[in-house]
Amino acid sequence: AVWTMDQPNISEESWDSICVNPHQQYLDQGKEDGLREGLKAGFSLGRGMGRSQALKVGLEVGFFMGFIEEVRTNVESSAGEEDDSKKQRILKGLDEFSEALERFRDSSTLFNGDNSEARDIRSEQQRLRAKFKLLKVQIGLHNFSIERVMDEAKKMAADTLPPSSNTAPPTSSTIAMDW
């Protein structure tokens, strides 16, 4: 069986494309496969990074909320120990910080579908950190930070847990805050 140009099942264009670049179909298929696998890997990596960042933000917000609750309790229970105007300033600062945290935690504005008013989470975090630092100065806790608390918790856990246990809380090196 000899192939001739008269056969109807192969056009002259397809014959030319096979002769000019016989590997083009494999290149195209490889490109499609690579794009598909790259997108899948990118989505998976993005999801993992998003979870990690959400954990960090959640830890920080939880730390701030615990700080507010503890300081408020201590300030309100300290009768006559401090200047009343100083207590009022601290309580007012705690209220403002608490309101800012509640606005930050309001997820209804995160996914409204309107990108024209997308929230800038990083700048909101920076404002919260600035308010936290201001409160620390007002209260006199200059060296108080989440990293220090996490390091102390790790040391306490290492002292109380058996050596074979790996349930120590994460360290500040594994949960790096951007401050």
Side-chain angles (χ1 to χ4, degrees):
V2 175
W3 185 85
T4 65
M5 290 294 283
D6 297 337
Q7 287 182 334
N9 59 354
I10 297 181
S11 69
E12 190 172 324
E13 284 181 16
S14 63
W15 175 251
D16 287 343
S17 68
I18 292 172
C19 289
V20 172
N21 192 352
H23 305 292
Q24 187 63 41
Q25 87 179 51
Y26 300 111
L27 290 172
D28 292 342
Q29 182 64 39
K31 188 176 185 179
E32 289 174 20
D33 292 346
L35 179 62
R36 186 176 45 256
E37 291 300 317
L39 285 172
K40 192 184 326 177
F43 286 133
S44 177
L45 180 62
R47 183 175 42 248
M49 288 177 63
R51 286 180 179 164
S52 173
Q53 290 301 314
L55 175 66
K56 291 176 187 178
V57 170
L59 280 171
E60 188 173 18
V61 168
F63 176 77
F64 289 156
M65 292 174 68
F67 172 81
I68 290 170
E69 185 177 323
E70 187 65 27
V71 170
R72 184 180 309 280
T73 302
N74 287 335
V75 168
E76 289 173 348
S77 67
S78 64
E81 293 179 17
E82 294 184 31
D83 180 5
D84 218 26
S85 64
K86 183 178 179 182
K87 281 174 75 168
Q88 293 307 317
R89 275 196 321 269
I90 291 172
L91 289 172
K92 181 181 177 192
L94 288 171
D95 288 340
E96 290 172 358
F97 188 43
S98 182
E99 289 170 11
L101 270 174
E102 286 305 315
R103 282 192 305 273
F104 180 76
R105 292 179 56 213
D106 181 16
S107 61
S108 66
T109 60
L110 278 178
F111 306 109
N112 61 3
D114 182 12
N115 289 336
S116 65
E117 296 192 25
R119 288 176 56 186
D120 184 1
I121 301 294
R122 293 286 183 200
S123 64
E124 289 182 41
Q125 275 183 295
Q126 292 301 326
R127 280 189 232 109
L128 286 174
R129 291 172 182 156
K131 287 181 185 291
F132 176 67
K133 288 179 182 181
L134 180 63
L135 271 172
K136 287 189 328 181
V137 169
Q138 286 178 333
I139 297 168
L141 298 172
H142 302 286
N143 295 325
F144 186 70
S145 69
I146 192 171
E147 289 88 1
R148 183 170 285 200
V149 170
M150 294 295 283
D151 288 342
E152 288 175 10
K154 180 183 174 189
K155 288 177 190 173
M156 286 178 18
D159 292 341
T160 58
L161 293 175
S164 64
S165 176
N166 289 334
T167 59
T171 64
S172 60
S173 61
T174 58
I175 301 173
M177 297 298 167
D178 300 328
W179 14 352

